[in-house]
Amino acid sequence: MDGPDYKGLIFLVTRVLFEHGMNISRNDEYVSPSGYFFMRTEFEGEADPDVLLSALYRELPQGIRLRMNPKKKKQIVLMVTKEHHCLGELLLRYAYNELDADILAVISNYQVLAPLVAKFDIPFHHVPVDPKDKTPAFDEVTRLVNEQQADCIVLARYMQILPASLCEEYAGRVINIHHSFLPSFVGARPYHQAATRGVKLIGATCHYVTEELDAGPIIEQDVVRISHRDNVEDMVRLGKDVEKMVLSRGLRYHLEDRVVVHDNKTVVFA
């Protein structure tokens, strides 16, 4: 839940849960410097979610926003281009039950990674993108995603800009991995930009996708140190390790409902 901070919010929530027979297993809260309150509560018990929400809203002040998510696996679609490292990491985690989700399908604008996906018995859809007219391709992508009734779209190095309509339809449910420490080096070829600038740290950013390129709320980031001896190829090699770990962590936070978006920023109860 989130909203303006008031005294006694935690008490009000926990009291309602207690009165309805719920057992709280974990509670995390945070108040921003501007006085905005965030809380994530894990609880268990038998109760009608609608009845519980109504009871909570009756007790809480106006302006508080509640979301109640049952503990179940989310259904996700992965989108890729040619790079295998992020896709491979997620597929392995999925195969060994380390990913709290069901991968419904993989969509790609190339067929390069089809053999890899086939090893995991997951449907692969090749949707080529014509640079001169991308509309037919993204109409097909939208159809496939909606057909799968996906909860979340993961861009695991999908090097195409999604149309505004898809970003809007799946707002807060499209996750991207960008191979730089945003907001530095947005757009294409960030490692080349970093090499030109002579930075000493490179990184990766997992963020929600919005209409503005590489500007959505940031979920997770990490960096690796480099030196003047590292060329672009070295940066790409080092960066791939960071990318796949940052995407895996950021996706896990989303799948476990640990992320709250507010004013294009996130509070992550990791």
Side-chain angles (χ1 to χ4, degrees):
M1 85 178 203
D2 63 295
D5 189 28
Y6 296 93
K7 289 183 179 179
L9 285 176
I10 298 173
F11 167 74
L12 291 174
V13 171
T14 55
R15 187 188 69 188
V16 170
L17 294 177
F18 172 77
E19 290 173 348
H20 284 76
M22 300 296 102
N23 180 57
I24 296 174
S25 55
R26 178 169 177 172
N27 199 74
D28 296 294
E29 64 278 336
Y30 167 69
V31 180
S32 73
S34 64
Y36 203 81
F37 179 82
F38 303 86
M39 187 167 81
R40 178 181 183 272
T41 305
E42 294 183 13
F43 59 91
E44 54 191 15
E46 298 294 330
D48 186 313
D50 292 332
V51 171
L52 203 53
L53 279 173
S54 296
L56 286 166
Y57 272 122
R58 282 196 300 269
E59 295 292 329
L60 293 169
Q62 288 189 351
I64 297 295
R65 182 177 60 162
L66 297 172
R67 291 169 300 283
M68 190 176 299
N69 301 309
K71 187 173 179 59
K72 66 176 185 178
K73 285 188 175 183
K74 289 184 172 60
Q75 311 296 297
I76 66 176
V77 169
L78 307 182
M79 297 185 66
V80 296
T81 296
K82 294 180 179 180
E83 296 283 356
H84 70 273
H85 55 289
C86 287
L87 174 66
E89 180 73 17
L90 296 181
L91 291 176
L92 282 172
R93 289 175 181 266
Y94 172 71
Y96 287 93
N97 297 314
E98 296 176 9
L99 188 67
D100 193 23
D102 292 322
I103 300 178
L104 303 176
V106 175
I107 301 173
S108 178
N109 53 330
Y110 289 89
Q111 297 198 45
V112 175
L113 297 175
L116 172 62
V117 176
K119 295 178 185 296
F120 295 85
D121 196 27
I122 295 172
F124 181 90
H125 301 280
H126 176 221
V127 184
V129 178
D130 183 350
K132 297 179 181 178
D133 183 9
K134 298 184 178 183
T135 300
F138 285 116
D139 285 347
E140 175 63 7
V141 166
T142 302
R143 186 193 69 79
L144 287 170
V145 172
N146 289 338
E147 181 180 77
Q148 298 291 338
Q149 298 183 323
D151 297 310
C152 177
I153 304 170
V154 182
L155 309 184
R157 290 299 299 271
Y158 182 68
M159 310 306 289
Q160 295 288 326
I161 299 174
L162 297 186
S165 59
L166 192 58
C167 294
E168 182 178 353
E169 182 177 355
Y170 283 85
R173 295 188 292 152
V174 183
I175 294 175
N176 182 49
I177 183 67
H178 184 71
H179 43 310
S180 79
F181 193 72
L182 293 175
S184 299
F185 311 130
V186 301
R189 298 166 66 86
Y191 291 125
H192 292 75
Q193 296 181 56
T196 300
R197 187 65 182 84
V199 300
K200 305 309 177 190
L201 292 170
I202 58 171
T205 303
C206 177
H207 66 95
Y208 290 115
V209 174
T210 61
E211 294 181 36
E212 186 177 354
L213 179 64
D214 297 332
I218 293 172
I219 306 170
E220 175 68 347
Q221 292 180 296
D222 208 344
V223 295
V224 62
R225 180 167 292 279
I226 59 171
S227 77
H228 58 278
R229 297 183 184 277
D230 293 309
N231 57 30
V232 172
E233 289 72 23
D234 295 324
M235 292 182 189
V236 171
R237 174 178 52 81
L238 293 167
K240 285 182 177 181
D241 288 338
V242 182
E243 291 167 36
K244 62 185 182 181
M245 295 308 299
V246 168
L247 177 59
S248 296
R249 288 200 300 264
L251 178 58
R252 178 170 64 85
Y253 298 151
H254 174 84
L255 295 175
E256 296 178 355
D257 300 306
R258 297 181 179 275
V259 186
V260 182
V261 178
H262 179 67
D263 288 344
N264 204 44
K265 295 192 293 185
T266 63
V267 172
V268 181
F269 292 112

